[in-house]
Amino acid sequence: MNMDYIFDSYRRVCYHTNWSQYRTSTGKFMPTDIGPDFCTHLIYSFAKLQGNKLHSFEWNDESTPWMKGMYAKFNELKTQNPNLKTLIAVGGWTLGSKPFSHMSATDADRREFARTSVAFLRNHDFDGLDIDWEYPTKRSGSTTADKRNYIELLKILKQEFDAETKTTGKPKLILSAAVPAGKSNIDSGYNIPEMVKYLEMVNLMTYDLHGSWETKTGHNSGLFKHTGETGDAASMNLDWAANYWVKGGMPASMINVGLAMYGRGFTLRNPGSHGLESPSRSPSDAGPFTGEKGFMAYYEICELLQTGGTRHYLADQMVPYVVKGSQWIGYEDVDSIRTKVKYIKQHGFGGTMIWALDLDDFHGNCGQGKFPLINAINDELKRSGGPVIQPVQQSTPLVNSQTTTQHLTTTSTTIKPKVINTTKGVSKEAAVINGGGCIY
């Protein structure tokens, strides 16, 4: 079997954040730090809406006569990998819903956006557009008409992309969308069968499923539900969300399943009780480079592990968390990422998506080489066979058990943990969030 052919059949979508350039010291990340062969699709985040037009967000996104802009540096990666496709994302959590709701409200406004977007993409050498509307019908400034208008917007964008290709002979621009994992957001804002007609792919944000906006610990990106969960709580996991989109009419082959290069954390009320759903009193401390409470890049989590943090493993959700004093952070590591990629392959999904490149260990400070999580994704996509990834079946509840202290070292790329778990229920879907650009 030609494993290179199998590997090439998967999309590997990677988001790049234009604010990571402002981090200090080793946290600073630039387009030149991106390996041109890491991904099949690179998405630059974010552009904003100015009226009915795409507009750059940062002062140095666009080139000037005296300065090469970030767009140009980003798209130069295609000179090293001619097969690479680059897109720009418009929206994100910070932009919210109101600008999209306003722009998509009339046919004339939608057409102005679509027409001018084609020119914007071509002028800056992007190969496509990623619509990251968070979320139709939800949040301030939204209306109940957003669900219909979202589809009309996609329809007109596809029409304009098709027409431009017919007129110019250029390869057709790619149209994709970032979409939520939470049931209420999906049901209220997305007509899935209609979306299939206009999009080339969707990037499913299967992370930010729990976080410090809640009052007890929960994992950001569990693969399966936690033992004993029912109702809304049982839907807050990758397996449920990905399959809900498929059941709703989205072909699995169109879905790029999201993988987090970061963790979300809590400050425990009682550091002596640190199992899943332990009471928390506030977000975890901000990472030294990312600077956001309740959020840490993988390379910042590695530092916790290297300086006395203890790694624990949630066997039913197949993900780790680290505890150091009162700090509790659920995250992904090489082992959990490999498990998820196996799941993605076994269920016939079209590929992987990561948020975000700058949050992996791009300097190799974890002792696992540079970009260990991205390399784990790519390596696992090349593999064949392996056991089928299924939820843990348990006839009796697991109970809390203290793991032995395990530190990340330079001599091992994985950590073999003992199991820790709980049997409590999980809070209902939170209504909020984010700092990097995605929510369920």
Side-chain angles (χ1 to χ4, degrees):
M1 182 179 294
N2 187 333
M3 298 311 297
D4 287 337
Y5 172 78
I6 294 174
F7 177 62
D8 291 341
S9 69
Y10 290 103
R11 290 183 297 270
R12 292 168 287 128
V13 176
C14 305
Y15 281 89
H16 166 68
T17 61
N18 56 3
W19 59 90
S20 55
Q21 63 179 304
Y22 301 122
R23 294 188 183 128
T24 59
S25 185
T26 57
K28 185 182 183 72
F29 189 88
M30 303 291 282
T32 50
D33 292 310
I34 302 171
D37 298 317
F38 284 164
C39 317
T40 59
H41 299 72
L42 289 175
I43 303 182
Y44 192 100
S45 305
F46 285 107
K48 63 183 178 181
L49 282 170
Q50 194 168 81
N52 298 327
K53 297 180 180 180
L54 283 178
H55 198 276
S56 57
F57 194 97
E58 296 294 341
W59 64 278
N60 61 348
D61 279 340
E62 300 189 42
S63 296
T64 67
W66 57 87
M67 178 193 71
K68 182 181 290 185
M70 289 295 179
Y71 291 165
K73 293 177 181 179
F74 185 77
N75 284 310
E76 279 180 349
L77 291 164
K78 291 186 286 189
T79 64
Q80 301 173 63
N81 177 8
N83 295 320
L84 179 65
K85 301 298 182 184
T86 61
L87 296 83
I88 190 165
V90 57
W93 182 258
T94 301
L95 186 68
S97 189
K98 184 177 181 179
F100 283 104
S101 186
H102 179 79
M103 175 271 290
S104 65
T106 70
D107 182 74
D109 289 343
R110 293 189 292 265
R111 289 188 182 279
E112 181 183 16
F113 173 76
R115 185 173 61 253
T116 57
S117 291
V118 171
F120 183 98
L121 296 171
R122 293 302 187 192
N123 287 342
H124 296 294
D125 196 29
F126 287 105
D127 301 304
L129 179 65
D130 184 58
I131 302 294
D132 192 1
W133 180 348
E134 301 187 18
Y135 298 106
T137 77
K138 292 295 187 78
R139 303 181 65 198
S140 176
S142 293
T143 74
T144 55
D146 286 348
K147 186 171 185 177
R148 179 186 65 83
N149 291 340
Y150 178 78
I151 297 300
E152 292 301 313
L153 175 63
L154 298 182
K155 181 189 297 185
I156 291 173
L157 281 165
K158 185 177 187 301
Q159 288 174 357
E160 289 292 333
F161 288 6
D162 289 343
E164 192 249 1
T165 292
K166 186 175 181 180
T167 300
T168 65
K170 295 179 179 179
K172 192 174 77 169
L173 292 164
I174 298 165
L175 182 59
S176 69
V179 296
K183 184 178 186 300
S184 65
N185 287 330
I186 299 168
D187 291 345
S188 65
Y190 298 87
N191 183 332
I192 298 176
E194 287 297 306
M195 293 171 66
V196 174
K197 298 177 182 179
Y198 310 116
L199 293 170
E200 183 167 317
M201 61 185 183
V202 296
N203 300 310
L204 178 56
M205 297 185 285
T206 36
Y207 37 72
D208 291 341
L209 301 175
H210 293 285
S212 59
W213 52 93
E214 298 171 317
T215 59
K216 52 187 175 182
T217 60
H219 202 283
N220 165 46
S221 54
L223 175 53
F224 296 112
K225 73 175 184 176
H226 174 48
T227 304
E229 286 181 338
T230 59
D232 291 344
S235 71
M236 302 303 288
N237 58 81
L238 184 156
D239 175 66
W240 185 94
N243 283 289
Y244 193 68
W245 275 91
V246 173
K247 291 174 184 177
M250 184 64 65
S253 61
M254 286 182 62
I255 299 174
N256 306 315
V257 179
L259 303 170
M261 306 287 102
Y262 65 92
R264 287 204 173 269
F266 308 76
T267 297
L268 297 167
R269 286 191 178 276
N270 176 11
S273 175
H274 61 69
L276 197 65
E277 298 183 316
S278 293
S280 63
R281 56 182 173 85
S282 63
S284 58
D285 296 339
F289 301 106
T290 52
E292 178 186 345
K293 290 186 176 181
F295 179 96
M296 273 196 175
Y298 179 63
Y299 61 86
E300 294 170 322
I301 294 167
C302 287
E303 184 175 345
L304 285 184
L305 290 163
Q306 291 168 334
T307 57
T310 304
R311 179 192 188 271
H312 303 268
Y313 187 68
L314 299 167
D316 50 6
Q317 295 193 293
M318 299 188 178
V319 284
Y321 67 92
V322 58
V323 176
K324 183 181 179 183
S326 64
Q327 302 298 288
W328 191 109
I329 297 98
Y331 69 106
E332 300 283 0
D333 63 9
V334 168
D335 289 340
S336 67
I337 285 289
R338 284 185 177 276
T339 298
K340 287 184 174 178
V341 174
K342 291 174 185 175
Y343 172 94
I344 289 165
K345 292 168 64 178
Q346 290 166 359
H347 288 77
F349 292 106
T352 60
M353 175 270 281
I354 68 156
W355 185 274
L357 285 159
D358 56 278
L359 302 173
D360 197 356
D361 177 27
F362 57 96
H363 286 299
N365 293 335
C366 297
Q368 302 168 311
K370 294 182 179 180
F371 293 98
L373 301 184
I374 292 170
N375 284 325
I377 292 169
N378 293 345
D379 181 64
E380 200 60 50
L381 286 172
K382 294 176 182 178
R383 295 172 179 263
S384 63
V388 176
I389 305 301
Q390 294 179 331
V392 175
Q393 300 296 321
Q394 295 159 355
S395 56
T396 58
L398 292 174
V399 296
N400 281 339
S401 60
Q402 179 66 41
T403 65
T404 56
T405 301
Q406 295 167 314
H407 303 297
L408 203 62
T409 70
T410 57
T411 59
S412 175
T413 58
T414 60
I415 305 171
K416 301 300 182 185
K418 295 180 181 179
V419 172
I420 178 170
N421 217 319
T422 65
T423 58
K424 301 175 184 177
V426 171
S427 63
K428 292 187 177 181
E429 193 173 312
V432 295
I433 108 186
N434 160 288
C438 337
I439 321 327
Y440 52 80

